[in-house]
Amino acid sequence: MKKKIAVLSATLILMAGAVNASGLNGDYKGNPIVKVTSNGKPLEAGEVPAIIYEGNTLVPISLLRQLGASVTWDGDTYQVDVKLPEPPAAPPAAADKSEVAKQQNDVKKLKKYAEAAELYLKLQTLGESLDSARTTIWLTADAMNAGKAEASSLISIAKTSYFKANETLTNLTKETTESVYDDFNKYGIDSSQMRFILSDYRESARHYTLALDYLDKYVRDKKASDNTEYLNNIGKADDYAKIAKEKSSKGYAEWSKNVQNY
């Protein structure tokens, strides 16, 4: 609220109606004294109190200092500069609760998008690990068919490579619990694709295990029937692994893009 202050010499003049209660608070040089209060609390008058003079209420500027005003007297120009204190800034409007809730939900949603991309990346990496194990298995079979002695040592390397990939699959299966899938679904992420990929990988792992067993027997006993079973299972293992890896790569590309464009 704006206030207009007129300064006359060293005295602030507040216009008021005629006051007939002369002498109620005493007189100052023949003029009735006026008590000045702020929000009901009296201000302390100095040597010169507020008075009634010719029907006007005159309040010394010194009283304004008690209200936080800055008063500067210029003796050269006989001017008084009065600066009233700035009113306290209004507190910032409280953010709309619905908007805050939306922002919080957006953060959670983006986090789930990133988690989905990360899971698909792990599934893709699993496929690459199985590719590496498969290569070693093929080298073992080729060495066996060529009658090379290193076939016996290669089968051990093939098993180690495969078991490492299978351990990754086991850990991923443990990580992706029903609650994890439910959280993905809650934020519009279809978890069924993840389930299918893991199912394909598990089926691939089952056939890789059988292929290794038959290959191991073939290396030891050199039976053609074991070689046939090896070829049958390694083919199925490769087919399941290839499908799962392709789906994993697509899923990673999709959710990585969703994170970047969110």
Side-chain angles (χ1 to χ4, degrees), residues 120-135 161 165 201 208 241 244-246 248-249 252:
Y120 275 116
L121 179 59
K122 289 180 179 179
L123 292 170
Q124 179 182 317
T125 303
L126 171 59
E128 293 168 355
S129 297
L130 287 174
D131 284 346
S132 178
R134 178 187 60 193
T135 299
S161 180
Y201 273 136
Y208 272 128
K245 184 182 175 183
E246 288 177 352
S248 300
S249 299
Y252 175 64

Side-chain angles (χ1 to χ4, degrees), residues 207-257:
H207 285 290
Y208 272 128
T209 301
L210 291 172
L212 276 169
D213 288 343
Y214 282 113
L215 182 59
D216 194 17
K217 291 178 182 179
Y218 181 50
V219 171
R220 290 196 318 265
D221 304 330
K222 300 179 178 58
K223 289 183 178 181
S225 59
D226 290 333
N227 185 47
T228 300
E229 289 298 330
Y230 154 72
L231 292 173
N232 180 47
N233 282 283
I234 195 69
K236 292 179 180 179
D238 289 348
D239 289 341
Y240 280 112
K242 181 180 179 181
I243 294 172
K245 184 182 175 183
E246 288 177 352
K247 290 179 180 177
S248 300
S249 299
K250 289 180 180 179
Y252 175 64
E254 176 186 355
W255 289 103
S256 296
K257 185 176 180 181

Side-chain angles (χ1 to χ4, degrees), residues 114-166:
E115 289 177 4
E118 182 181 8
L119 178 55
Y120 275 116
L121 179 59
K122 289 180 179 179
L123 292 170
Q124 179 182 317
T125 303
L126 171 59
E128 293 168 355
S129 297
L130 287 174
D131 284 346
S132 178
R134 178 187 60 193
T135 299
T136 311
I137 294 172
W138 282 354
L139 288 174
T140 303
D142 289 344
M144 181 60 196
N145 291 327
K148 295 180 180 179
E150 61 263 30
S152 296
S153 60
L154 284 173
I155 189 67
S156 297
I157 298 174
K159 287 180 178 180
T160 300
S161 180
Y162 166 69
F163 290 150
K164 184 177 180 181
N166 192 52

Side-chain angles (χ1 to χ4, degrees), residues 196-213:
F196 290 146
I197 291 172
L198 278 170
S199 178
D200 284 342
Y201 273 136
R202 284 192 291 268
E203 193 62 20
S204 174
R206 185 175 73 85
H207 285 290
Y208 272 128
T209 301
L210 291 172
L212 276 169
D213 288 343

Side-chain angles (χ1 to χ4, degrees), residues 2 28 42 44 47 49 64 68 113 118 128 132 149 167 178 191 225 234 243 249:
K2 296 182 179 179
Y28 176 77
E44 295 182 5
E47 295 180 358
L64 295 181
Y113 282 10
E118 182 181 8
E128 293 168 355
S132 178
E167 183 180 5
E178 286 299 320
S191 65
S225 59
I234 195 69
I243 294 172
S249 299

